[in-house]
Amino acid sequence: MYDIKNKSNNSNNLNVNKPVPFIGKGFQPKTRSWMGYFVFFIIIFVLELGTSTGVISSLTLPKPSDVLETIIQLFQSGLLFKHLVPSILRLVIGALIGISLGISIGTLIGLFSYFRSGLVPVIAAIFPIPKIALLPLFVIWFGIGEGSKYALIALGSFTPTVVATYGAVDNVDRTLIRMGQSFGLSWISIVYKIVLPGAMPGILSGLRISLAISIILLVAAEMLGAEYGIGAYILEAGSLYDLERLFAGVTILSLLGITVSVFVTKLEQKILKWR
Amino acid sequence: MYDIKNKSNNSNNLNVNKPVPFIGKGFQPKTRSWMGYFVFFIIIFVLELGTSTGVISSLTLPKPSDVLETIIQLFQSGLLFKHLVPSILRLVIGALIGISLGISIGTLIGLFSYFRSGLVPVIAAIFPIPKIALLPLFVIWFGIGEGSKYALIALGSFTPTVVATYGAVDNVDRTLIRMGQSFGLSWISIVYKIVLPGAMPGILSGLRISLAISIILLVAAEMLGAEYGIGAYILEAGSLYDLERLFAGVTILSLLGITVSVFVTKLEQKILKWR
Amino acid sequence: ASNKKIKVGALRFTSHSASFIAKERGYFKQAGLDVEFEFFQAAQPMAIAIASGDIDYAVTAISGGLISLAEKGAVKVIGGALSEEEGIDGQKFLVSDKAYKAGVRSPKDLNGKRYAVTQSGSSFHYMGSKMAAAENINLSFVPLQKVGAIIGALKSGQVDAWSIVPHIAKPLSRGGSIHIIGNVADYLPNYQITTVFTSSNNAKNERALTKNFLTGFSKGVDDYASTMIDKNKGDAGVNEMVDLIHKYVYTSRPREKAAPSIINGTMRLSDGASLNLASIKNQLEWFKSEGLVKKSITIDTLVDQSYVKIIS
Amino acid sequence: MNIKIKNLNHSYDKSKVLSDINLEIMDGQILSIIGPSGCGKSTLLRLIGGLEKPCSGEITQIGSPPAGCLNAMTYIFQDFALLPWRTVEENVSLVLEDHSLSNEIKRSVIDDVLDRTKLKDFSYAFPKQLSGGMKQRVAIARALAVNPAVLLMDEPLSALDSQTRELLLEDFINLWHRKPFTAVYITHNLSEAVRLGHKILVLSRRPGKIIETISIEKPIADRKLIDKDLDQYQKHLWNIMHDEARAADAELLNV
Amino acid sequence: MNIKIKNLNHSYDKSKVLSDINLEIMDGQILSIIGPSGCGKSTLLRLIGGLEKPCSGEITQIGSPPAGCLNAMTYIFQDFALLPWRTVEENVSLVLEDHSLSNEIKRSVIDDVLDRTKLKDFSYAFPKQLSGGMKQRVAIARALAVNPAVLLMDEPLSALDSQTRELLLEDFINLWHRKPFTAVYITHNLSEAVRLGHKILVLSRRPGKIIETISIEKPIADRKLIDKDLDQYQKHLWNIMHDEARAADAELLNV
Ligand SMILES: Nc1ncnc2c1ncn2[C@@H]1O[C@H](COP(=O)(O)OP(=O)(O)OP(=O)(O)O)[C@@H](O)[C@H]1O
Ligand SMILES: Nc1ncnc2c1ncn2[C@@H]1O[C@H](COP(=O)(O)OP(=O)(O)OP(=O)(O)O)[C@@H](O)[C@H]1O
Ligand SMILES: [Mg+2]
Ligand SMILES: [Mg+2]
């Protein structure tokens, strides 16, 4: 037999008693929600201090308190809603078009060989195309009105939704489908009662990404002849190098993003309460 | 007992013989790779026909053959590489910075309560911020040289990598970690031998998204004082409303995206050969 | 008057004041037009919007994109708007503080320096290029897409020079981080900066409509010039005009903060929308020589000379 | 209704899975099938149920399904195959929805099967709230709801712990006793096979051939958890299987 | 080395899981623990191994681990817990790498344990290529490599089909026979419990209390697959367990 240098006591002495050591600690990070607020507070505090004392030049970053004031002014003047309402409308309509198209096409790709073979390469080719590169064309294709804004956001949310959807359909447990077939369920029943609900978790987590991308694309969309809108507001602030307003706009978008993410979480809890 | 209207033959007649019907068809889409080529061919053919005959106005879309010619000319004049090389360099360096930082921070978030609680909300707040909105600031922060281009691409690939990484770390099978602990493995061994390899599939699929976003951001990055680069080429073509060159550039980006995706697949096959 | 509905593209710049005046004072209405403005963030989408038929008339600088669209048979220049004129404050050459400290005091000192443009083929590129040719120096042009990015780069000394309209140039130079070192007009006298343009279809088939538009527009120009440049109505007139323009420009700032910028922005708008064809030809030749547009384009592809007085 | 299988052969790609299977499933009887891992038991069941097409040979239904049968060949799967987004009741209702039954009939069928499987109190529970044993009872209720001609069971108990398995086996036997059904019962567990089967079919390692068929005369209702009459069968079967099982377990799976 | 548990109580949040457990695990013996689902068997094992801290009571090692022991309390998990990205050999090597052993010693340990578990020919296979039985043999080899004082086994066979389970049970018995080890063996399977245990502990439904402790005198090596001496114990245990098991199975899981 083999031989291992014995580092512990060699004799089996029954008088040596010791409690079993605890070795199972760690690897279970817990979320302490106050920490998040604390970190934001620290960041903002440091920036405030830095910008007030001039350690951080006013060219580099605005004073957080000025940004806050800008947002408050924006709110008080009623301009906030004048900017927010059209943006949210564009977001909702554009994302709705893109996502519903995406789910339909994604489901078709998930179900039919012909759609899969024909469309997957096309989607793969469209994915890496930067939407802002196509802005000039969007004017010709969809006009400068709301149409082109919807189209841009729709295109941006379309591709990730398709990819998420057909991935989700692929991941639907095949035994559930076989079960449906074995009970003689019709094709349409299987799709509506088994495939789509089964793909829902994947589709919803795709939704999270699609909506984040939609928000990001708001700015690009509002490059095209938008008078009002958070994107337009940011662009104008940027072109005037007005950092307070730029950051005010960015903060609003960021809050919008967090709101949307919370909304998806709520939606998940509602639709996926069976999990 | 209940009563169901009997639609089939009521008597148990042993002389009625029929083969068991086949009900297990469908729901297994297969990829026929020729279909992909075929669809591309059809699309290009229709566009060629439409633009040649004038059904599609030259304002709307360029002639595919002209786009091809432009690409060939670009190649023959050597300009293709003059544009491609700096773009790829920016892509590689920027993505490398963003992804390696993202994996590190993501792992920390996955392992430690404090990082998780403190950083997750910050990441969630950064995610929906459109990078192009920050362009004017990037000029001040990182200059108009290569620095700001790397920074933009790094920032763009950072957030999705963080999210993918900590999700992947969370999904590492906890019994494997408990196993490591029960065998008295050191903390560092558990992280390097269990957590990280276990998170690798998730990290790699995050890589796919991060790299796609990096390519999309090339155009935004090259808005800042880039003379050469595919993004710069596209921007110039857009501002001159030169559709042939615009589409040539977009085609090149699209091919780049497909190449990167194939590269990640190869990487997955290599690293995850144990799956 | 038939009260025909048309859409006019505009940027919220003082250089578009003529259209605002014509609308506010009812000159368009008198010409039988019911004008609705469509505002843009940048000039380039405006040109494309004319091509796509989303808007009917607009004012913008001659750019590579505009010429390309003209070459595709989509747009036509039909008149002039903003131009450099001797004696009136025009566009400025600016340098960063860093370059200034390094001894750049006039455009000829810019040899080998970095010159900011939004895009190759933009009017900034044209101005810089022409100046460099005249001074016989070399400039490297840095495309930064957005005016905001250029200002940031200039303030932090990452680019050395730029040119811009006076109402942006002057406030920038006040901070001390940017300095004015010359006038564009010294190199490009009578430079036709912006032009009135429309779709080829309007220019060719809607002659009456186009004439009516130019009539209304010209009246706006006349008012603007007589009040703001020639000061025929004194300060009261200027104030009244500022009030009018403030409805469209710098709307997010209070009147007293906006007024100096509006007044500073005053430049000559060509009388009766007349067009300086020589300047246009010069610009077109430059675009061709830089390889930015097709060599085959002639001045007639770009300009319909039948509408306004042509200066050459 | 009987099922007759004649000269059945089946291959995937180039590898043969089932070789020359001949058998008849008799009305009202339970046929147990045992065999080492990967010998093609599940494949055989899929072929019988029509979920796959055999490469050669034929599978015929002899006679017609019984009165009121909505789905002749009905599966009970090892992993239950419940829809996690439907409650117990809705899972049963699923298989009735595509048939044009009145709401009352549907209601009464559902009530009846939930009653028979003692699930009445859990109608509105979601699958995640159920223990493994209850989940499989739901799957059984669902199968009973269509009044099947033949129940096809692919290791229905092997995902359960052995105590629950024992309990469910009792339930099965009670169900069969109250109203005998035809069934094919695939298992890895020799004691289950002898507890439930009128006939027991032993398959060889892949490609699966029939090595032996055993009939047990003792009535199912009289068989016990610890039953000396059955022990001899079980011992005999284990002797046939031992080496096959060892070899099958030591095979590297092709990847 | 013995393990002594005194007045052990454990709760999660407000729900009590284990109540007043007192027992001693004797050196060189196998202790089987049975009990209905959710009664706290796995929790008890985690407490013994130190993966969790008990709410009250104490668990002490009496005496020192044997010579050459690298890891006193060593688990064998139900789901094998193999690293899928490591080959068989590398999976075993994992638990040796953190000890400063020379390469030759490591090599010889690995060879020895792979030999004892008959895995020599599969050293370079990845887990996905292995059948369930082989995977568990790798986990056993890994546990043997650290020469443990006590093997803690949480339903080590319940993920396997019953034929493979029977084979592995034979292997276990052989291993123990060649070199007796101390072990706690948790199972749901009464016949396994009586096949392997010197002592059998029966836990009640949650909160787990010890209902009964049974000792079986017959030497482990003499016990058989079908063994009348064991049947009486098994029957007795099933009688104690039946109602507890039925109630445990019908409990809705709190979500
Ligand atoms: N769809 C398929 N394509 C290719 N090979 C398959 C397919 N289904 C099963 N096989 C192979 O056919 C053989 C028999 O599989 P089957 O599932 O019928 O075995 P089994 O007897 O049910 O095994 P187990 O006892 O493990 O359930 C196996 O080697 C399996 O790998
Ligand atoms: N980490 C935990 N947090 C909260 N409750 C837990 C935790 N682990 C186990 N429990 C609960 O404690 C009880 C006992 O769990 P345990 O896993 O020990 O039971 P078990 O006897 O092993 O069951 P099984 O036979 O199903 O494996 C269960 O009700 C379980 O839900
Ligand atoms: Mg099977
Ligand atoms: Mg357990």
Side-chain angles (χ1 to χ4, degrees), chain D residues 34-37 118 122 125-134 137 155 158 160-168 170-171 187-190 225-228 231-232 234-235 238 241-242 245-246 248-255, chain E residues 34-37 118 122 125-134 137 155 158 160-168 170-171 187-190 225-228 231-232 234-235 238 241-242 245-246 248-255:
Chain D
I34 58 172
S37 259
K118 295 176 233 155
F122 306 107
F126 280 101
K128 68 161 171 181
Q129 300 175 276
L130 305 178
S131 62
M134 281 214 276
R137 292 220 304 277
E155 310 190 32
S158 72
L160 308 175
D161 65 74
S162 47
Q163 289 155 33
T164 315
R165 192 181 304 187
E166 186 52 45
L167 297 171
L168 227 63
E170 285 176 13
D171 293 345
T187 178
H188 264 112
N189 190 316
L190 306 187
L225 167 62
I226 306 227
D227 189 327
K228 282 179 207 104
D231 279 356
Q232 62 177 85
Q234 197 179 332
K235 215 166 201 166
W238 181 236
M241 295 269 315
H242 187 281
R246 173 79 67 193
D249 185 49
E251 242 165 30
L252 272 197
L253 312 179
N254 51 341
V255 271
Chain E
I34 59 171
S37 258
K118 295 175 231 154
F122 306 107
F126 280 101
K128 67 161 173 182
Q129 298 175 276
L130 305 178
S131 62
M134 279 214 276
R137 291 221 305 276
E155 310 190 34
S158 73
L160 307 175
D161 65 74
S162 48
Q163 288 155 34
T164 315
R165 193 180 304 188
E166 186 53 46
L167 297 171
L168 227 62
E170 285 175 13
D171 293 345
T187 178
H188 263 111
N189 190 316
L190 306 186
L225 168 60
I226 308 231
D227 189 326
K228 284 181 204 101
D231 279 356
Q232 62 176 85
Q234 197 179 332
K235 216 168 200 164
W238 181 235
M241 297 268 316
H242 187 279
R246 173 78 67 191
D249 185 49
E251 243 165 28
L252 272 196
L253 313 179
N254 51 341
V255 271

Side-chain angles (χ1 to χ4, degrees), chain A residues 125 128-130 133-134, chain B residues 230 234 245-255:
Chain A
I129 296 177
L134 299 182
Chain B
I230 300 294
I234 289 178
R245 285 164 67 196
L246 181 65
F247 271 78
V250 164
T251 308
I252 292 169
L253 276 193
S254 177
L255 290 175

Side-chain angles (χ1 to χ4, degrees), chain E residues 12 17 36-43 46 155 188 206:
Chain E
Y12 287 116
V17 176
S37 258
C39 74
K41 301 183 293 298
S42 302
T43 307
R46 282 200 299 275
E155 310 190 34
H188 263 111
R206 193 179 55 180

Side-chain angles (χ1 to χ4, degrees), chain C residues 11-22 24-25 37 39 167 220 223-225 227-229 237-253 255 258-259 261-267 269:
Chain C
L11 304 176
R12 292 186 179 275
F13 287 164
T14 37
S15 52
H16 289 252
S17 293
S19 307
F20 305 146
I21 295 166
E24 288 293 315
R25 301 220 161 135
F37 287 122
F39 290 99
H167 63 287
D223 269 18
Y224 182 76
T227 313
M228 299 297 286
I229 299 173
V238 170
N239 272 334
E240 194 197 339
M241 187 67 79
V242 167
D243 282 341
L244 190 160
I245 295 170
H246 183 232
K247 284 186 190 165
Y248 294 93
V249 184
Y250 301 122
T251 48
S252 56
R253 292 188 212 172
R255 159 75 166 74
S261 300
I262 293 172
I263 294 167
N264 274 334
T266 307
M267 280 182 74
L269 294 176

